[in-house]
Amino acid sequence: MSRSNEKSTQVIRVYGIVQGVGFRPFVSRIADRAGVTGNVANKGSYVEIYARGTEEERAEFLQYLREEPPERSAVLKTDISDCEDIPFEQFDIIESEKEEGDIFVSPDIATCPKCRQELYDPGNRRYMHPFINCTACGPRLTILDSMPYDRERTSMGEFPMCPECAYEYTHAETRRYDAQPVCCNDCGPEVYLIGREERGREAITYVRKAILEGKIIAVKGIGGFHLCCDAANEEAVARLRKLKTRPAKPFAVMMKNLETVERECIISPESEEVLDGHQKPIILLKKKPGGILAPSVAPDNPKVGVMLPYAPVQMLLFEYNDGITMTTDCFVMTSGNVSGAPICRTDEDAVKELSSFCDIILSHDRKIRLRADDSVMDYYRGEPYMIRRSRGYAPLPFMLSEAFHGQVLAVGGELKNTFCIGKNQLFYPSPYVGDMADIRTVQALEESIIRMEELLEAKPSIVACDMHPKYNTTLVAEEQGIPVFRVQHHYAHIVSCMAENDCAEPVIGVSFDGTGYGTDGTIWGGEILEASYQSFTRLGSIRPFIQIGGDASAKEGWRIAVSMINCLYPDRAAEIVETLGLCEESVRKLYEQMAVRKINSVVSTSAGRLFDAVSAILGIRLCSTFEGEASTTLEFAAEAYEETRAEEAIREELRAVLKSFSAAAECVEKESPVELPEKENAQKFILPTERLVRLIIEKRLQGTEAGNLAYLFHALLAEQIVEGCKKAAEMTGLEVCALSGGVFQNQLLLRLCEERLTEEGFRVLRHSLLPPNDGGIALGQAVAAMVYIQKQNDLEDTKQVE
């Protein structure tokens, strides 16, 4: 026998998203194709394969392994080693075993095309089954109790398989081999109406009739409940708005299929691929004129958030064999929660929180272990630009190149909260939790942290949080019983951008958002930082202003506008405020006195509030009914103006303005109400945004159109940011800029800044799959904390050597 025919055994360990995606059945199939014997098992943190065969057979097996992995998997690393030859007679999938190590939990996966085909095949035994799934699709994270991912460790363990399902589950030739949520109409979960007798088919038919009658339905999906109604029925949508006390914030729309989306919206090939892919997030798309969507779906907004059905029960609401013609192919499908509270996941939650918002509650008896709201993304330069990272993406980790060792927890921001768990080089952002002002969301955060730590087998040695002493997230961090590491808000934004781009070198960080607690005790929000993973220096900011009115000023931009006008025009303020229609003279005088006496007023450099003030000055939005309303409407006005003008005409207009308007940063002596840490005592420069506001006011008083000035504001602010970065480069020698913070959800500002910074020779880092808003800062907090414990470990090692 030649040496090439001798059989030997190798051990192969595959790391990455290899659990819950059909990886073991795939390995078994390619082993049979290659003539390899052995076994495959989940080890919790990786898949372990024993492969026995000739050199040629093993090479063929490894080629299949590298080139044909399951579509939903993501192989990050493969380790191969020789071992003592084991005379395997066949190839088996063996019981999972738990071992410590890096863990990769698969997100939930939208229903695949093959399951959808079977769902509507009258000859298939899963015809019209509301929970159809297979090895390649279905719930994962939201039903998981612990790793490794096996049925008994999921909420599907409560449903014993029928003989037919058990056969498919155990036989490699089927599409449901080792599919943990496998079930059918005979053995799976069941849908039902809460408080009524209808179950199964009758429940679905009842709901479909109700939608056609203009009713509002709460529907339990994969990661929680949605509130659903006919998106073409203005009366139904307006009623939902009234019941939810949601005057203007856009509703997401679930459309039946891609044909519907193409009829209603403008969609690029890149966004179409993801919209109809296995994640199926909500994607913001431009509306086409003449569509069927009710005006109240997304009022005064050129875009609408669109998703396709990703769970079988959603598909069945559109199309079912009950003789009813669903005359609409667009449903409002908005998160099922009270404003500010987390998405409901249990029947008890839904009855308590949603009964006053809806007419019917359609639920099912498959338990949701971990909430997962819908992910929301936009597209920028043909790439995803995440707004909310949740279902379909969380908890996929970010892997950094730094050789970190340790475990950390970061509790995230107060708004748009997500948290993050770091284990060595891997950082796992959680699904979206919500805004922490509501005690129910705080409880959801605490519950989710416990469950994620269990799933990831994490035991953090330190917890990172914001510096603000009164945030609920700070209280959650302090209750963890481990050391607390406080991270400045805007620094966390920049580190999150660095980490997403795996950039360990120092950067100039442009961190623009609404509110963050500064190291000097004031409100920050328009910052230029010198930042590294280890520390930061505040180099500059927009011109500080007096923010009067406490929390109300975040919703009422006219307050900021009046405060700025009082400071800029002490002799003409009354006239200007009256002309712009901002408030009564008595209110203006009151604000003037409050500023002088420092009553309910703080020093602020909030870029978000600057946008709100300009929106009010231009008469676009005096107040916001939801976070970001005034600033996004200002952006829409600017973009609408830009679309009506030729590019060269806009450039010429800007050049003309810049002849008499200096965007250059100004060096000033630092003024601070409190003593600052030594690191903060560098000389600071100011972006002269007060000049920009003065220009906008005077041109508005002269009668210049609001859209023109909205665009001019964006363009000149971008120029000021670029000038600030150039000043920062002179001070530091750095040539890399990172753009982060909620203001950079504004794609017009992002584009103008990126283009100009690139022209000036900077390398620009921006976000893509992590939100620039507060939903992304937990990653930055976690990385900063991880770097801190590396430093502490190094100090301990040095002491031991000494």
Side-chain angles (χ1 to χ4, degrees):
M1 180 182 294
S2 66
R3 185 174 180 81
S4 63
N5 290 327
E6 292 179 2
K7 296 194 174 187
S8 60
T9 304
Q10 288 181 320
V11 180
I12 304 165
R13 291 179 174 177
V14 185
Y15 299 82
I17 305 298
V18 289
Q19 299 203 37
V21 292
F23 205 86
R24 286 181 295 172
F26 155 71
V27 170
S28 177
R29 286 193 292 271
I30 64 172
D32 289 343
R33 281 169 58 192
V36 165
T37 58
N39 60 51
V40 59
N42 274 343
K43 293 292 186 176
S45 59
Y46 58 93
V47 163
E48 184 175 74
I49 304 165
Y50 280 83
R52 183 175 191 265
T54 65
E55 185 176 342
E56 289 80 2
E57 288 167 342
R58 285 185 281 106
E60 183 180 354
F61 174 77
L62 288 171
Q63 182 178 353
Y64 295 148
L65 189 67
R66 284 191 301 268
E67 297 177 0
E68 303 177 16
E71 183 181 353
R72 315 303 186 226
S73 67
V75 176
L76 298 180
K77 183 175 69 169
T78 303
D79 290 340
I80 303 171
S81 59
D82 295 325
C83 70
E84 181 182 348
D85 187 42
I86 305 172
F88 295 107
E89 295 184 0
Q90 60 187 29
F91 197 93
D92 297 311
I93 294 178
I94 62 176
E95 286 297 312
S96 300
E97 300 174 10
K98 289 183 68 174
E99 287 191 10
E100 292 188 2
D102 294 332
I103 292 177
F104 300 86
V105 180
S106 171
D108 301 299
I109 303 171
T111 304
C112 70
K114 290 181 180 178
C115 280
R116 180 182 174 86
Q117 184 178 4
E118 292 178 354
L119 181 68
Y120 289 108
D121 178 3
N124 191 282
R125 70 187 196 88
R126 291 186 178 83
Y127 178 53
M128 299 290 165
H129 179 43
F131 303 92
I132 191 170
N133 66 84
C134 69
T135 303
C137 71
R140 299 292 189 268
L141 173 68
T142 53
I143 63 171
L144 189 56
D145 284 314
S146 62
M147 296 290 278
Y149 175 67
D150 279 317
R151 190 182 184 93
E152 64 268 23
R153 285 180 283 272
T154 73
S155 55
M156 283 302 295
E158 301 175 10
F159 300 93
M161 287 180 279
C162 67
E164 290 86 352
C165 285
Y167 178 89
E168 292 176 286
Y169 181 77
T170 54
H171 284 71
E173 70 274 12
T174 76
R175 288 202 317 109
R176 294 179 173 87
Y177 184 34
D178 205 41
Q180 309 308 330
V182 64
C183 58
C184 68
N185 286 304
D186 296 329
C187 65
E190 186 179 29
V191 296
Y192 52 85
L193 300 183
I194 295 178
R196 295 186 58 89
E197 295 181 355
E198 289 86 353
R199 303 181 72 88
R201 286 185 55 83
E202 290 74 21
I204 293 174
T205 296
Y206 190 93
V207 167
R208 281 165 49 81
K209 287 179 179 177
I211 292 172
L212 290 173
E213 293 168 0
K215 300 285 178 60
I216 299 167
I217 322 297
V219 180
K220 185 177 179 180
I222 288 180
F225 280 84
H226 287 100
L227 290 169
C228 170
C229 69
D230 179 359
N233 185 327
E234 173 62 19
E235 184 178 346
V237 178
R239 177 171 170 250
L240 178 56
R241 285 207 174 278
K242 184 177 180 181
L243 291 173
K244 279 208 78 176
T245 319
R246 184 169 165 169
K249 188 176 183 179
F251 285 138
V253 176
M254 180 172 282
M255 298 188 179
K256 182 178 180 180
N257 49 37
L258 276 176
E259 289 74 21
T260 307
V261 177
E262 289 167 352
R263 184 193 72 214
E264 296 292 320
C265 303
I266 299 169
I267 182 168
S268 68
E270 297 88 355
S271 54
E272 180 177 314
E273 183 178 355
V274 173
L275 185 72
D276 197 29
H278 60 272
Q279 300 102 337
K280 285 191 168 60
I282 296 170
I283 298 183
L284 304 184
L285 300 174
K286 281 193 174 182
K287 304 174 197 170
K288 284 183 177 178
I292 70 165
L293 297 182
S296 292
V297 167
D300 299 324
N301 195 317
K303 293 184 177 181
V304 62
V306 175
M307 60 179 157
L308 293 177
Y310 56 83
V313 69
Q314 297 162 350
M315 298 173 184
L316 296 178
L317 293 181
F318 282 108
E319 189 175 349
Y320 200 54
N321 64 335
D322 55 7
I324 297 171
T325 301
M326 182 58 68
T327 54
T328 181
D329 51 9
C330 297
F331 296 154
V332 165
M333 200 67 81
T334 190
S335 299
N337 63 316
V338 176
S339 179
I343 189 171
C344 294
R345 68 178 177 89
T346 67
D347 286 4
E348 293 75 20
D349 289 343
V351 170
K352 183 180 178 181
E353 308 287 351
L354 304 181
S355 293
S356 60
F357 298 159
C358 65
D359 304 297
I360 304 161
I361 302 177
L362 176 65
S363 188
H364 59 74
D365 51 2
R366 184 180 68 203
K367 292 176 182 175
I368 297 172
R369 301 300 195 198
L370 189 69
R371 292 176 179 85
D373 219 323
D374 296 313
S375 292
V376 182
M377 69 167 58
D378 207 333
Y379 265 74
Y380 175 74
R381 296 184 182 271
E383 296 178 353
Y385 199 62
M386 193 71 75
I387 306 299
R388 182 170 74 197
R389 186 179 190 270
S390 198
R391 176 189 54 77
Y393 293 89
L396 294 177
F398 290 91
M399 176 178 278
L400 273 60
S401 298
E402 300 295 288
F404 294 138
H405 297 286
Q407 299 189 27
V408 303
L409 166 66
V411 294
E414 198 74 356
L415 298 177
K416 299 180 174 64
N417 178 268
T418 64
F419 60 94
C420 182
I421 293 173
K423 292 184 68 177
N424 304 322
Q425 296 168 278
L426 296 173
F427 293 83
Y428 303 82
S430 75
Y432 176 80
V433 180
D435 293 344
M436 290 294 116
D438 192 297
I439 189 62
R440 291 165 292 190
T441 316
V442 176
Q443 292 169 348
L445 171 61
E446 293 170 334
E447 294 167 3
S448 299
I449 287 172
I450 292 170
R451 183 156 291 278
M452 280 276 286
E453 286 182 345
E454 290 173 349
L455 289 179
L456 298 174
E457 298 173 4
K459 295 180 179 178
S461 62
I462 192 171
V463 54
C465 67
D466 196 274
M467 285 180 57
H468 200 298
K470 295 184 180 180
Y471 276 178
N472 283 327
T473 47
T474 303
L475 298 177
V476 170
E478 292 170 345
E479 292 170 356
Q480 295 299 307
I482 53 179
V484 176
F485 182 72
R486 289 171 171 80
V487 184
Q488 201 282 323
H489 186 90
H490 300 94
Y491 172 53
H493 270 304
I494 298 305
V495 176
S496 74
C497 186
M498 295 168 64
E500 182 179 2
N501 289 276
D502 197 13
C503 174
E505 63 182 288
V507 303
I508 298 167
V510 182
S511 189
F512 273 39
D513 70 353
T515 297
Y517 190 78
T519 58
D520 59 1
T522 66
I523 300 301
W524 291 6
E527 311 306 314
I528 296 184
L529 312 175
E530 176 187 4
S532 68
Y533 281 161
Q534 289 74 28
S535 64
F536 78 97
T537 301
R538 188 190 194 197
L539 299 178
S541 73
I542 67 171
R543 176 75 67 187
F545 56 87
I546 304 299
Q547 186 169 324
I548 299 173
D551 291 342
S553 62
K555 298 179 181 178
E556 299 178 351
W558 66 266
R559 296 175 184 260
I560 307 294
V562 170
S563 177
M564 288 181 170
I565 291 169
N566 280 336
C567 290
L568 289 171
Y569 300 93
D571 299 327
R572 296 178 54 206
E575 170 199 345
I576 292 172
V577 167
E578 181 182 7
T579 302
L580 296 177
L582 294 172
C583 69
E584 298 293 330
E585 172 61 8
S586 59
V587 176
R588 186 202 67 78
K589 283 184 176 179
L590 174 64
Y591 269 50
E592 192 173 52
Q593 291 302 310
M594 289 174 69
V596 170
R597 298 178 185 181
K598 299 181 180 179
I599 299 171
N600 198 20
S601 60
V602 294
V603 176
S604 173
T605 57
S606 167
R609 301 296 78 80
L610 173 65
F611 272 77
D612 293 347
V614 172
S615 188
I617 288 166
L618 296 180
I620 292 172
R621 281 290 187 278
L622 293 179
C623 303
S624 295
T625 62
F626 62 91
E627 188 198 7
E629 180 181 1
S631 56
T632 54
T633 312
L634 180 69
E635 176 192 358
F636 298 151
E639 290 172 336
Y641 176 78
E642 184 184 42
E643 288 176 1
T644 66
R645 304 285 288 169
E647 183 178 342
E648 185 52 41
I650 284 183
R651 288 180 180 272
E652 186 56 39
E653 288 175 7
L654 185 58
R655 281 194 290 267
V657 172
L658 286 171
K659 287 179 181 178
S660 58
F661 179 87
S662 173
E666 299 176 346
C667 285
V668 298
E669 291 298 320
K670 183 186 296 292
E671 295 180 3
S672 172
V674 296
E675 185 177 349
L676 301 182
E678 182 178 347
K679 184 65 175 172
E680 284 294 298
N681 286 334
Q683 187 168 3
K684 178 184 172 189
F685 59 80
I686 293 292
L687 306 187
T689 44
E690 83 288 352
R691 282 199 234 134
L692 176 52
V693 173
R694 184 188 291 272
L695 178 71
I696 296 298
I697 291 170
E698 292 177 358
K699 284 187 173 291
R700 184 59 177 161
L701 294 174
Q702 293 165 8
T704 305
E705 189 262 327
N708 181 331
L709 294 179
Y711 180 83
L712 185 63
F713 169 74
H714 282 79
L716 292 180
L717 181 59
E719 287 295 325
Q720 290 188 332
I721 290 170
V722 172
E723 290 297 323
C725 290
K726 288 164 65 176
K727 189 73 177 177
E730 291 175 13
M731 299 169 68
T732 65
L734 299 176
E735 297 179 347
V736 180
C737 291
L739 308 180
S740 190
V743 168
F744 282 109
Q745 281 183 203
N746 182 321
Q747 290 199 18
L748 175 59
L749 183 69
L750 175 66
R751 171 167 55 82
L752 293 171
C753 287
E754 185 174 23
E755 287 175 353
R756 286 289 292 114
L757 286 167
T758 302
E759 287 175 8
E760 295 291 341
F762 289 99
R763 180 162 71 92
V764 180
L765 306 180
R766 54 177 167 79
H767 290 282
S768 178
L769 292 177
L770 188 80
N773 59 46
D774 284 5
I777 67 168
L779 175 62
Q781 292 175 345
V783 172
M786 185 69 79
V787 170
Y788 172 78
I789 64 173
Q790 306 312 301
K791 184 177 179 181
Q792 296 304 110
N793 292 340
D794 290 344
L795 289 174
E796 289 296 321
D797 292 343
T798 302
K799 288 179 181 179
Q800 290 177 9
V801 170
E802 292 175 350

